[in-house]
Amino acid sequence: LFLGATAAATVAGECSHLDDPLQVRDLYLEIDPADWQAILHDANFEDEGHHNQERPAVFHCGDEAPLPVRVRRKRLLAIPSEDQPAKVSLKIDFDDPIADGEWHGHRKLSLENGQGGSLLSEGLAWQLLARAGVIAGGSSWVRLHVNGEAAGVFVRVEQIDKSFLRRRLGEDEGFLYKVRRQETRQGEDDPFAAALCYVPFASGGASQCAPPPGYAGLARLCDLQQLFGMAAVDAFLGNWGSLFGNGNNYWRYSSPQPPLYFPWDLDRALFELPAT
């Protein structure tokens, strides 16, 4: 009810200030209707490496000039159901049709559909991380319109990629991992990875060496303020799908500075913990 009242009462948000949670921006997609139906019914959405269903479209925010993009469905179930998909989570890519293409410094937009009742809770979880001083993706709520038709309110979550690293850290030349899968500098050996060879960081989830003694030893190998900040907010939110929960849904950035961990996928935050 709060979000519906806010969306109805809020004027169109300023597109350049993406992380302001008190503005609801209007995003527009123009896409071939057949392509849109293919995205809604994409049976391979669970495979994050599947891009055969990426479809060309034209995007704009508010009264900005339109930009070419490619759109695909993201992992999460459709609303109201897979048999009648009306609202699905989406990835909008600006750098696929145009090399190094960006929109306000972002190469991708991630729109979460709020499946399972997470439309408010996921956005609030990202806001709490920011308030706690954790380096994390920004978030806000947006209204999406597809071919002139309202597609619903979504949570916009900042994508973790090289453009995120530039915005948040001022660099992007290190090694970026999604959980344990290397996303940048593929084919190169990460010289900083060998030191984190114990739980919860070790590949495969099993310790291969002993952790360094004491806080100071560990602080040389990992940014502890960032790590403990993530752990504290995840504990407060009951976010089981996390580095210290089920060992999932995080990114790691490895570079000459102590490695940084970033949260991801907060759609289960503020939900009841699974039974054990």
Side-chain angles (χ1 to χ4, degrees):
L1 290 176
F2 166 79
L3 185 58
T6 302
T10 305
V11 297
E14 185 179 353
C15 296
S16 59
H17 294 163
L18 296 178
D19 294 340
D20 183 353
L22 300 182
Q23 295 188 66
V24 181
R25 289 149 198 82
D26 286 287
L27 307 182
Y28 299 85
L29 285 176
E30 297 294 331
I31 186 170
D32 184 287
D35 284 344
W36 179 240
Q37 288 301 312
I39 290 171
L40 291 176
H41 293 88
D42 182 4
N44 294 303
F45 70 92
E46 290 190 0
D47 179 3
E48 294 189 1
H50 172 77
H51 295 282
N52 292 334
Q53 293 289 359
E54 280 192 333
R55 305 289 172 147
V58 175
F59 166 93
H60 73 276
C61 174
D63 57 1
E64 289 185 341
L67 295 170
V69 296
R70 294 187 71 84
V71 183
R72 66 177 173 91
R73 180 172 170 180
K74 285 188 59 185
R75 187 173 186 168
L76 271 183
L77 296 177
I79 297 174
S81 70
E82 288 300 320
D83 291 332
Q84 296 179 310
K87 185 183 182 187
V88 298
S89 296
L90 298 170
K91 183 69 63 66
I92 300 174
D93 291 337
F94 299 94
D95 60 342
D96 279 358
I98 299 176
D100 299 325
E102 292 185 346
W103 176 66
H104 296 300
H106 294 252
R107 292 193 174 186
K108 302 181 190 299
L109 283 184
S110 185
L111 303 184
E112 311 298 329
N113 68 348
Q115 185 269 335
S118 62
L119 187 66
L120 279 176
S121 62
E122 183 170 9
L124 291 172
W126 286 108
Q127 296 298 322
L128 284 171
L129 283 162
R131 293 298 182 96
V134 174
I135 303 171
S139 69
S140 56
W141 288 274
V142 301
R143 288 178 292 242
L144 180 66
H145 309 263
V146 178
N147 294 336
E149 300 284 338
V153 176
F154 292 73
V155 183
R156 180 208 61 87
V157 179
E158 185 176 2
Q159 178 68 31
I160 307 294
D161 57 14
K162 293 185 73 171
S163 63
F164 167 88
L165 297 173
R166 290 194 294 272
R167 287 189 298 273
R168 302 293 177 173
L169 306 180
E171 63 169 274
D172 66 359
E173 294 303 316
F175 296 81
L176 183 64
Y177 298 81
K178 188 174 186 181
V179 188
R180 296 180 179 92
R181 186 180 69 216
Q182 189 171 332
E183 296 287 337
T184 63
R185 300 182 67 169
Q186 287 147 333
E188 298 182 47
D189 291 330
D190 179 357
F192 313 106
L196 295 176
C197 51
Y198 47 88
V199 173
F201 315 110
S203 177
S207 289
Q208 299 155 13
C209 67
Y215 183 96
L218 182 58
R220 288 193 295 271
L221 300 179
C222 187
D223 188 311
L224 293 184
Q225 181 174 346
Q226 172 77 2
L227 188 68
F228 291 161
M230 280 177 54
V233 176
D234 281 336
F236 178 77
L237 296 172
N239 183 29
W240 178 251
S242 60
L243 174 63
F244 290 104
N246 62 3
N248 198 14
N249 293 336
Y250 67 89
W251 295 74
R252 175 167 61 87
Y253 180 62
S254 179
S255 72
Q257 64 178 309
L260 283 158
Y261 285 80
F262 308 119
W264 190 243
D265 277 355
L266 300 178
D267 56 300
R268 303 310 298 169
L270 294 171
F271 282 71
E272 184 177 355
L273 290 175
T276 57

